[in-house]
Amino acid sequence: MKRLIQHGLMFGGLFEVASPALIERYNRALEHLTGKRTTLDHFHIDLSGFSPEVGDELDDMDYLNPGGCNRQIILLSTRQREAPLLEMKFSTSAQIIRDFIARNEAQLFTLTARDAVAGELQNSVYSVADPAHLLDIRTVTVEADTTTGVVRDAAKLDTLIRRFREEEDAWWDDVLVSKMIGLAQATGDVTRAPVTFETASFQQDDFWTAHHGGVYVFRSVGSKAVLANRPFPAPGIEVIDLSMRNVVATFLQMNNLVQPIVEGRGVAAADILREKLEHLAIDALGHAGHLPDAVSDRALRRAMQVHAAVLPPEVHALGAMLAWAEGRGAWPRIDSANPAYFHTLRAAPGPLRDLTNMLLAELAPQDFRQLHICHKPLFYARYAASPDTLKTWVAERLATDYAADRDGVWAHLYASDVTHPVPKVQKRVKGPWG
């Protein structure tokens, strides 16, 4: 993974923890949640407070997510919302944490100036050993407080203030007044600066989970279904095997979840098809051991010519579509029986866009750029198992074709109206381990 880290394609954009004050706050929260502490004097944390360096030190990459069901969080700053979420088990976790930070930004800004905020994303289940239990997940609630319990104490103080105002002889209740003063010393004036979090409960109708080989749950669509790599019995809902391509394609079309990735001729459409074709060729040549050592467009074209026999049918199908986009050929018929079918689709606009793009990336994993953008867990797993030369090509191509302008590439590939090609300028971002 060293190449990805060097190019800022892995562990990039994390929040740096280097000052003694932040490290001590992190350790207080870590001990509060897990009973453990770190001896590191410099590390990085993600959106949830997970640190790959601390996980490496503790020899436990799930130290904030035991069981992979109810993720714990450590917030040192509201700026963590700009960081990615690592070791993702549920596709909705990142947005839930960002929404929680956005809803409570003022309170979190005040509280994290003095202490860490620790908490948990609480599902309605505590174990998913049985895959059918995934369907019992309906809501996720964020519960959080400082390590010293300021939010808890503020709630107590608020209750006592109401008693003081409503009870007729409260002025003479020395015990009540003493409790109020003691709590106020820890919480401040909660009447002027409330120390409470907006209750953050999130409906979980649609999500992906890494459990049980990867499962997609779609419950807000007209034809509800679960799509799984390892199908399992589930009462009241259809379970589709992801290997049944025709059935998956029918489900996506029936629920209007997808659209063609190119809908007309032109330079932008041709660029998308050419790039996807090259990515598929790189993947095939790399696994066949025919990629040249030097990463260049000319070397790739030469390898594709010399080793055309190892190129998969998907490359030829996309080549025919590219010829049509450039006005050099007829429109090719590519249906769900064609191995290139899912390479020709992207998610339709709407609330299920990201989940659908994630599913499409898994159905067409040879396009490593789409996989990196839409399904990072699967990308990292495939990358780790790739030949060394292929790793070099993938890292270099992502650095020049994606990391240079992430937002521009996303719009180029997935926006409803693509109008311009993507700039190719290399940019590196430092992260953990340099």
Side-chain angles (χ1 to χ4, degrees):
M1 300 296 186
K2 184 178 179 181
R3 299 174 183 86
L4 298 179
I5 297 172
Q6 289 175 334
H7 287 298
L9 296 164
M10 187 178 187
F11 301 144
L14 298 181
F15 181 80
E16 186 175 21
V17 182
S19 72
L22 285 181
I23 293 170
E24 177 54 30
R25 291 173 196 167
Y26 187 86
N27 265 325
R28 287 203 303 269
L30 183 61
E31 189 169 22
H32 175 73
L33 292 173
T34 69
K36 303 174 182 178
R37 293 177 68 90
T38 177
T39 60
L40 300 177
D41 59 5
H42 179 263
F43 52 92
H44 299 74
I45 59 176
D46 73 352
L47 171 65
S48 72
F50 165 77
S51 167
E53 295 115 316
V54 173
D56 187 53
E57 178 196 24
L58 300 176
D59 193 25
D60 181 9
M61 288 297 175
D62 292 324
Y63 71 93
L64 282 185
N65 197 15
C69 192
N70 295 276
R71 189 171 191 129
Q72 296 172 315
I73 59 175
I74 297 175
L75 298 179
L76 299 180
S77 168
T78 55
R79 286 188 290 137
Q80 280 176 239
R81 67 183 172 191
E82 301 168 6
L85 181 68
L86 307 179
E87 301 294 322
M88 183 174 66
K89 301 298 184 184
F90 286 88
S91 61
T92 53
S93 297
Q95 192 57 49
I96 288 173
I97 299 173
R98 289 195 176 97
D99 285 352
F100 174 74
I101 294 174
R103 293 185 185 189
N104 301 283
E105 184 171 9
Q107 295 93 322
L108 287 170
F109 183 83
T110 301
L111 292 171
T112 55
R114 296 181 296 173
D115 197 0
V117 171
E120 183 176 306
L121 305 187
Q122 292 192 346
N123 284 320
S124 44
V125 299
Y126 293 94
S127 171
V128 289
D130 182 345
H133 287 165
L134 291 168
L135 301 178
D136 294 331
I137 297 175
R138 291 291 181 176
T139 60
V140 174
T141 301
V142 182
E143 293 199 358
D145 199 346
T146 66
T147 59
T148 54
V150 170
V151 176
R152 177 200 61 215
D153 290 343
K156 292 180 181 178
L157 178 57
D158 189 58
T159 301
L160 294 179
I161 290 172
R162 286 199 301 270
R163 275 186 57 195
F164 183 79
R165 288 173 172 172
E166 294 169 1
E167 292 181 6
E168 186 175 347
D169 296 326
W171 277 100
W172 311 108
D173 190 337
D174 292 339
V175 175
L176 175 61
V177 173
S178 177
K179 287 181 180 179
M180 290 170 58
I181 293 173
L183 289 171
Q185 288 174 342
T187 66
D189 185 355
V190 296
T191 61
R192 294 186 178 181
V195 184
T196 183
F197 292 137
E198 181 183 335
T199 301
S201 292
F202 300 86
Q203 193 73 17
Q204 296 296 284
D205 289 329
D206 312 285
F207 60 87
W208 166 88
T209 177
H211 295 288
H212 302 289
V215 177
Y216 298 82
V217 178
F218 289 88
R219 290 185 292 204
S220 67
V221 295
S223 300
K224 301 175 177 59
V226 174
L227 292 82
N229 282 296
R230 303 171 192 165
F232 54 89
I237 192 168
E238 181 184 11
V239 178
I240 300 173
D241 189 333
L242 280 173
S243 66
M244 300 174 65
R245 296 172 61 87
N246 290 340
V247 180
V248 174
T250 300
F251 167 79
L252 293 173
Q253 295 290 352
M254 185 184 306
N255 291 290
N256 299 314
L257 293 174
V258 293
Q259 63 185 27
I261 201 164
V262 293
E263 298 183 87
R265 288 177 166 144
V267 174
D271 284 347
I272 291 176
L273 292 168
R274 186 179 298 105
E275 291 165 352
K276 291 179 76 70
L277 186 154
E278 290 177 354
H279 296 157
L280 269 62
I282 290 170
D283 183 80
L285 292 169
H287 283 102
H290 296 314
L291 274 177
D293 293 331
V295 180
S296 72
D297 292 342
R298 178 176 296 179
L300 175 61
R301 287 194 296 272
R302 175 65 176 169
M304 291 173 65
Q305 294 167 353
V306 174
H307 304 288
V310 305
L311 297 179
E314 294 94 319
V315 171
H316 302 295
L318 291 180
M321 187 173 282
L322 174 61
W324 167 83
E326 293 179 332
R328 298 183 289 106
W331 171 255
R333 178 175 175 78
I334 299 178
D335 57 23
S336 58
N338 191 306
Y341 177 71
F342 291 114
H343 288 285
T344 69
L345 300 176
R346 64 182 172 197
L352 297 180
R353 181 198 63 195
D354 292 345
L355 182 62
T356 304
N357 275 330
M358 191 177 195
L359 172 60
L360 290 172
E362 180 165 349
L363 293 168
Q366 301 87 352
D367 185 347
F368 55 82
R369 182 176 63 181
Q370 174 166 292
L371 200 62
H372 182 268
I373 295 172
C374 302
H375 199 326
K376 282 186 172 58
L378 182 56
F379 168 82
Y380 291 136
R382 282 179 59 87
Y383 180 89
S386 296
D388 203 57
T389 304
L390 178 55
K391 289 180 180 178
T392 299
W393 272 80
V394 169
E396 292 290 337
R397 288 295 292 251
L398 287 176
T400 55
D401 294 354
Y402 173 59
D405 184 1
R406 297 169 193 261
D407 292 338
V409 171
W410 188 94
H412 174 68
L413 293 174
Y414 304 115
S416 58
D417 183 23
V418 178
T419 58
H420 59 81
V422 179
K424 296 186 178 183
V425 180
Q426 188 169 356
K427 179 182 180 182
R428 298 187 179 185
V429 182
K430 287 184 67 176
W433 300 298

